[in-house]
Amino acid sequence: MAHSPAYPRDSSESADPLAAYHAKRDFSRTPEPKGGAASGKPRGSLRFVVQKHAASRLHFDLRLELDGVLKSWAVTKGPSLDPADKRLAVEVEDHPLEYRSFEGRIESGYGAGTVMIWDEGRWEPAPEVDDPAEALARGNLKFVLHGRRLRGGWDLVRMKSRPKDRRPQWLLIKRHDAEERPGEGGRLVEQALTSVRTGRTMEEIAGNAPARKSRSVAAGRS
Ligand code: MN
């Protein structure tokens, strides 16, 4: 049975999932990847990235690969390992798969600011989820992250009330498991201040400093 989304979509989004992404950006000016059409690559080995983005407001962009694009949410305060924390995650436009490797400075235009690859790895739907696309359409995705900083089970839950003319709002919540850190609140985002890809700080990325060859960066790269 077809699920109709509970909120209106840009008509452009149904035809080309990346139409909104392309419409917001001038690729002659931004260093962000243009990306091709959404690829029909089969699921199985799905990637995720969390990008720390110092735009007009600092946030953390969670992007989950699904059906050839990166489904994306802007997590205002960043993820928390404490299951008691419900972190607001505003749904944003699908991004091209290439975006998971983007780190750098967007000088002007949409999203102007510095972008850091704050975490990355693979993800999978939780065992009880048959169809992650359908789970997202229903507004509740249980999933497992295999990242450097984020691991274990997580929930994305879409809130029923949606502010007028605004993107759908979700909550990102750590599930109870061996990877939870009750009571730690925002400690992870306060302490993890470097790129997992290049070891650079936000200031170093903004200044286009070279990647650090630190052990923590070299180790464990998949
Ligand atoms: Mn962003």
Side-chain angles (χ1 to χ4, degrees):
M1 141 184 173
H3 292 261
S4 50
Y7 50 88
R9 281 286 194 174
D10 305 355
S11 58
S12 57
E13 277 181 73
S14 51
D16 173 4
L18 296 179
Y21 175 85
H22 288 138
K24 287 172 191 254
R25 292 167 174 81
D26 176 353
F27 292 95
S28 65
R29 301 187 65 186
T30 180
E32 298 164 286
K34 185 153 191 254
S39 84
K41 172 170 161 303
R43 292 170 193 159
S45 184
L46 299 168
R47 305 281 196 150
F48 85 94
V49 65
V50 176
Q51 283 155 321
K52 184 175 180 178
H53 186 184
S56 48
R57 243 178 118 172
L58 179 70
H59 59 272
F60 291 72
D61 290 301
L62 167 66
R63 309 190 195 282
L64 302 177
E65 175 183 358
L66 190 64
D67 295 335
V69 296
L70 296 174
K71 309 304 288 185
S72 297
W73 295 261
V75 184
T76 315
K77 295 169 86 173
S80 168
L81 300 180
D82 184 345
D85 286 337
K86 296 172 168 56
R87 290 294 164 89
L88 177 65
V90 179
E91 184 179 319
V92 298
E93 73 275 15
D94 294 346
H95 279 50
L97 292 181
E98 292 89 337
Y99 208 92
R100 74 177 180 84
S101 294
F102 176 68
E103 182 170 277
R105 187 174 169 75
I106 304 166
E107 292 293 337
S108 61
Y110 183 75
T114 303
V115 176
M116 168 195 284
I117 298 176
W118 184 82
D119 198 17
E120 62 178 342
R122 300 183 187 276
W123 79 276
E124 58 186 333
E128 63 266 40
V129 176
D130 291 331
D131 181 343
E134 190 205 42
L136 282 177
R138 276 189 287 104
N140 185 349
L141 177 66
K142 299 182 192 326
F143 60 106
V144 180
L145 295 178
H146 306 280
R148 305 274 297 277
R149 290 171 174 158
L150 303 180
R151 295 176 178 275
W154 297 77
D155 270 357
L156 268 169
V157 182
R158 191 171 60 221
M159 291 192 276
K160 292 212 164 50
S161 59
R162 181 190 185 193
K164 242 189 153 109
D165 304 322
R166 302 277 298 278
R167 285 288 188 164
Q169 299 192 326
W170 299 63
L171 297 173
L172 175 67
I173 308 162
K174 180 74 194 74
R175 300 188 82 187
H176 291 287
D177 60 21
E179 304 293 341
E180 69 181 298
R181 297 291 180 271
E184 291 212 351
R187 201 173 298 169
L188 179 64
V189 296
E190 286 162 17
Q191 293 185 344
L193 297 174
T194 54
S195 164
V196 295
R197 183 83 71 105
T198 66
R200 296 181 297 174
T201 62
M202 291 298 268
E203 293 70 27
E204 288 168 335
I205 294 166
N208 208 22
R212 292 172 178 279
K213 295 277 192 282
S214 78
R215 244 171 53 200
S216 66
V217 171
R221 290 285 316 121
S222 52

